[in-house]
Amino acid sequence: ELKVEQNPLFLSMQEGKNYTIYCNYSTTSDRLYWYRQDPGKSLESLFVLLSNGAVKQEGRLMASLDTKARLSTLHITAAVHDLSATYFCAVPNSGGYQKVTFGTGTKLQVIP
Amino acid sequence: EPEVTQTPSHQVTQMGQEVILRCVPISNHLYFYWYRQILGQKVEFLVSFYNNEISEKSEIFDDQFSVERPDGSNFTLKIRSTKLEDSAMYFCASSEAAVGYTFGSGTRLTVV
């Protein structure tokens, strides 16, 4: 059974600081997704990582994927308050049909 | 940008009642899904639907649950006899064959 773990679960950081969220998964997958969720809202797609070594950047967020280590990182550069949200990674299960297993989520609070 | 539309946004129902949650996936997508998120917890897979039939379902998706695609556009989730523990945010999603999901805005179901 695929397990997806994120750490930390909670992250409180000051504006302007850098930090990294980690996502580990237990079985082989060549792709991984990152989502953002604001309180009471839907899941907004941030990054789709489709291969080993993939790196994508959007604004202050950068995501990478190491399929051999079964690890993805979401790096935050010079955090701003607007980045406060919960971030989820999600890994497709093997066997087709695109079912994904979500990580536990990382609740990020950026303090002005 | 194409959207997945869900209605209603909030549904309050009495325990034991039937509810139908509605979704309009993106028109050229072929795969449809329901996920749920109990408040403050991670996102859990319920069911996937392809080619007019269920392709995969989780342990949560028991006999109380059913899905339908009654016409060319709608995709519904029915809960026959709601329980208190069914209270959650329910997300519909759709995808093309290989890349990521688009999630709807969700339906908050409250069972009283």
Side-chain angles (χ1 to χ4, degrees):
Chain A
E1 180 189 345
L2 172 60
K3 294 191 188 310
V4 183
E5 294 184 348
Q6 290 179 235
N7 70 84
L9 299 181
F10 299 97
L11 176 56
S12 182
M13 56 191 297
Q14 287 188 318
E15 279 191 332
K17 298 293 187 182
N18 304 333
Y19 210 84
T20 300
I21 298 170
Y22 297 89
C23 173
N24 292 90
Y25 54 97
S26 62
T27 63
T28 302
S29 179
D30 63 354
R31 59 190 62 187
L32 185 141
Y33 313 127
W34 282 97
Y35 292 90
R36 168 183 171 143
Q37 186 180 40
D38 292 299
K41 302 294 185 182
S42 186
L43 295 148
E44 175 192 353
S45 179
L46 292 176
F47 299 109
V48 176
L49 303 170
L50 295 177
S51 61
N52 185 40
V55 177
K56 290 199 172 180
Q57 183 163 4
E58 181 73 32
R60 300 174 188 275
L61 300 178
M62 183 173 71
S64 66
L65 177 61
D66 181 343
T67 59
K68 294 179 182 176
R70 298 177 187 168
L71 170 69
S72 180
T73 61
L74 181 66
H75 186 72
I76 303 153
T77 302
V80 293
H81 180 66
D82 285 353
L83 290 179
S84 297
T86 299
Y87 293 85
F88 291 95
C89 61
V91 180
N93 290 49
S94 60
Y97 301 116
Q98 293 289 300
K99 168 190 171 183
V100 296
T101 297
F102 278 80
T104 45
T106 297
K107 185 171 183 179
L108 172 65
Q109 181 184 37
V110 181
I111 303 167
Chain B
E1 188 171 330
E3 288 184 344
V4 175
T5 306
Q6 287 186 245
T7 55
S9 57
H10 191 189
Q11 173 103 38
V12 181
T13 188
Q14 287 198 325
M15 193 168 53
Q17 295 295 305
E18 174 183 287
V19 294
I20 298 176
L21 310 183
R22 302 180 192 279
C23 170
V24 179
I26 293 173
S27 60
N28 63 336
H29 284 184
L30 300 176
Y31 300 83
F32 314 115
Y33 312 85
W34 285 99
Y35 283 76
R36 79 173 186 189
Q37 184 181 32
I38 295 171
L39 185 63
Q41 298 188 22
K42 72 175 187 177
V43 181
E44 301 174 293
F45 170 77
L46 291 177
V47 66
S48 59
F49 193 86
Y50 171 72
N51 202 25
N52 289 318
E53 61 182 21
I54 291 174
S55 47
E56 191 170 359
K57 59 185 181 180
S58 72
E59 291 177 353
I60 303 168
F61 195 89
D62 61 20
D63 291 344
Q64 296 297 317
F65 291 87
S66 63
V67 288
E68 267 193 330
R69 189 161 162 79
D71 53 40
S73 59
N74 290 286
F75 179 51
T76 62
L77 174 69
K78 181 191 291 186
I79 309 174
R80 289 190 184 81
S81 178
T82 50
K83 303 186 283 284
L84 293 176
E85 54 264 38
D86 293 327
S87 295
M89 193 78 148
Y90 288 81
F91 292 106
C92 174
S94 67
S95 71
E96 294 181 275
V99 183
Y101 285 4
T102 301
F103 281 87
S105 53
T107 294
R108 180 171 298 283
L109 177 65
T110 303
V111 182
V112 297

